[in-house]
Amino acid sequence: MRLDLSNSVSLNELKSYQEEVSRIHKMINEKSGAGNDYLGWADWPIEYNKEEVDRMIECAKYVRDNFDILVVCGIGGSYLGARAALEAINGLYSNDRLEVIFMGQTFSPNYIAQVLEYLKGKKFAINVISKSGTTTETSISFRLLKELLVSQIGKEGAKKAIFATTDKEKGALKSECVKEGYETFTLPGDIGGRYSVLTPVGLFPLACAGIDIKRMLEGAKQARSDFQDDRLENNICYQYACSRDYFYRHNKCVELYVTYEPQYAQISEWLKQLFGESEGKEKKGLLPDSVTFSTDLHSLGQFVQDGTPLLFETILTVKKPRYDVKVPHDEEDLDGLNYLEGKSLNFVNSKAFEGTLKAHVEDGHVPCNVIEVEEMNDYNLGYLFYFFMRACGMSAYMLDINPFNQPGVEIYKRNMFHLLGKKGY
Ligand code: PA5
């Protein structure tokens, strides 16, 4: 993986951050900063429970052998990472024999009714994921999914088709797991939702989808080791974190995550939660937003090029796509495309990227960080997830806030529960 800052901010300009970076690096390693009881993700790639990983792989095999669909039921940190990884690696129209679909991330009656209708008569298993075990979106969906499952395969059959990922000891879901005997995986107490993609929260659905989760953890382990050197010139993770802070202090208020592949759009969604929920506190923080180019060059591209100068870009490019397609010859050339004949779409896409980068940097004066990954696979994605989580911890601490809580999300829930008539609200 490579971080190219040549179109954003020079290392020289970031040099003054070194002391601050070393201080925070030590704080993360020693788990001594604000929210320190949620720093379990930092050493997770070397501390994870290997037996649990083996059990997940075994259960995933059982799911693949016995079901056609896995419904992953969760929201926020209990949903976005698995979806991001699944789409990034397997693509949007995967022909894998197990289909993975998502529920539990919405109250939408349209969405839920259609998923339930789609599942009728099909062989499906459920992976319900909730750390608290009480999240309303997830609980309602889980209740509905269970009802359908029991109506199709009976209560005893359903018990063997339900896999739960939740807290080790607390919460309503945990109690249900104990009572019903569901196969259960643990979400460690010291890892919050948005930092949990490399725990069973992300790993079990990914294993079910045929992804090599041990390789993913290997990638994360390599990243953890690479980012132990806190010297800025050697640490791309901290360079990226500093660039964010630098732009924040130079009047930028939006970080725009850019990809050139629709199948990476969910990585941007995961990033939006990671950075938005970690940093958006005490009236501080960059607003994370995202686009998929070239699609969005035909919509938001105008604003990025020419609108209020409030943003900088962080672009994720992947050098080798898994598939490629060539532009065919056409005798009549009515569409005038024969000048591209024989060229691959990866070539066209990369020229769109280069041309856009030049336009945004040189004409639009939009700073652009570029993160380049050789190819999107389990190992590199594990590396990338760890890179972003560590960068997020670093840059949130630079703002002097707790990166691991989310006090702001409780207020709407209180109002909603009151309006729904929940006891105690
Ligand atoms: O990052 C977070 O903490 C949140 O997004 C949670 O993951 C989300 O609210 C789901 O919570 P739970 O896993 O308790 O159902």
Side-chain angles (χ1 to χ4, degrees), residues 373-386:
V373 177
E374 196 56 27
E375 62 185 300
M376 191 53 85
N377 56 30
D378 29 41
Y379 182 91
N380 287 345
L381 194 53
Y383 194 101
L384 197 67
F385 278 139
Y386 190 89

Side-chain angles (χ1 to χ4, degrees), residues 14-49:
L14 300 181
K15 246 176 29 204
S16 59
Y17 278 97
Q18 184 60 67
E19 208 178 302
E20 174 79 334
V21 163
S22 297
R23 184 184 67 81
I24 297 173
H25 175 73
K26 195 159 171 266
M27 232 164 75
I28 294 176
N29 277 355
E30 291 175 357
K31 300 190 173 39
S32 56
N36 57 349
D37 42 351
Y38 280 96
L39 268 159
W41 56 271
D43 289 330
W44 182 253
I46 53 168
E47 284 185 349
Y48 68 87
N49 180 337

Side-chain angles (χ1 to χ4, degrees), residues 38 73-80 104 129-139 165-166 173 187 191-196 201 273-274 277-278 404-406 409-410 412-413:
Y38 280 96
C73 184
I75 192 168
S78 292
Y79 150 69
L80 285 162
I129 309 173
S130 177
K131 180 163 181 165
S132 60
T134 54
T135 301
T136 318
E137 288 88 339
T138 305
S139 302
T165 306
T166 190
L173 180 57
L187 207 174
I191 300 183
R194 60 190 175 274
Y195 293 84
S196 71
V201 169
Q273 187 203 1
L274 178 67
E277 217 169 41
S278 296
F404 310 117
N405 64 1
Q406 52 283 328
V409 302
E410 295 311 315
Y412 92 87
K413 286 186 197 165

Side-chain angles (χ1 to χ4, degrees), residues 95-143:
N95 56 10
D96 187 51
R97 63 164 301 284
L98 184 85
E99 185 183 1
V100 180
I101 57 179
F102 294 90
M103 202 160 128
Q105 81 284 28
T106 178
F107 290 127
S108 159
N110 290 319
Y111 184 91
I112 291 172
Q114 283 196 313
V115 173
L116 292 173
E117 192 54 38
Y118 180 75
L119 291 172
K120 264 189 201 153
K122 298 196 171 111
K123 279 165 76 177
F124 73 92
I126 304 169
N127 178 204
V128 57
I129 309 173
S130 177
K131 180 163 181 165
S132 60
T134 54
T135 301
T136 318
E137 288 88 339
T138 305
S139 302
I140 291 177
S141 278
F142 184 43
R143 183 183 276 206

Side-chain angles (χ1 to χ4, degrees), residues 47-102:
E47 284 185 349
Y48 68 87
N49 180 337
K50 298 195 176 46
E51 277 146 35
E52 188 168 48
V53 169
D54 288 337
R55 187 161 59 89
M56 279 192 275
I57 292 171
E58 228 174 85
C59 291
K61 187 175 174 322
Y62 174 80
V63 170
R64 288 178 72 79
D65 289 346
N66 290 282
F67 301 95
D68 297 324
I69 300 175
L70 175 71
V71 187
V72 178
C73 184
I75 192 168
S78 292
Y79 150 69
L80 285 162
R83 182 159 183 190
L86 185 75
E87 293 189 3
I89 295 177
N90 283 1
L92 296 174
Y93 291 93
S94 160
N95 56 10
D96 187 51
R97 63 164 301 284
L98 184 85
E99 185 183 1
V100 180
I101 57 179
F102 294 90

Side-chain angles (χ1 to χ4, degrees), residues 246-257:
Y246 176 90
F247 291 123
Y248 180 64
R249 293 179 201 285
H250 284 78
N251 301 323
K252 300 296 184 198
C253 49
V254 177
E255 176 174 27
L256 190 65
Y257 289 107

Side-chain angles (χ1 to χ4, degrees), residues 14 31 61 88 99 129 149 174 187 190 196 209 280 315 323 354 387 420:
L14 300 181
K31 300 190 173 39
K61 187 175 174 322
E99 185 183 1
I129 309 173
L149 198 58
K174 179 66 195 175
L187 207 174
D190 59 355
S196 71
I315 304 160
Y323 306 102
E354 287 166 29
F387 167 90
L420 288 171

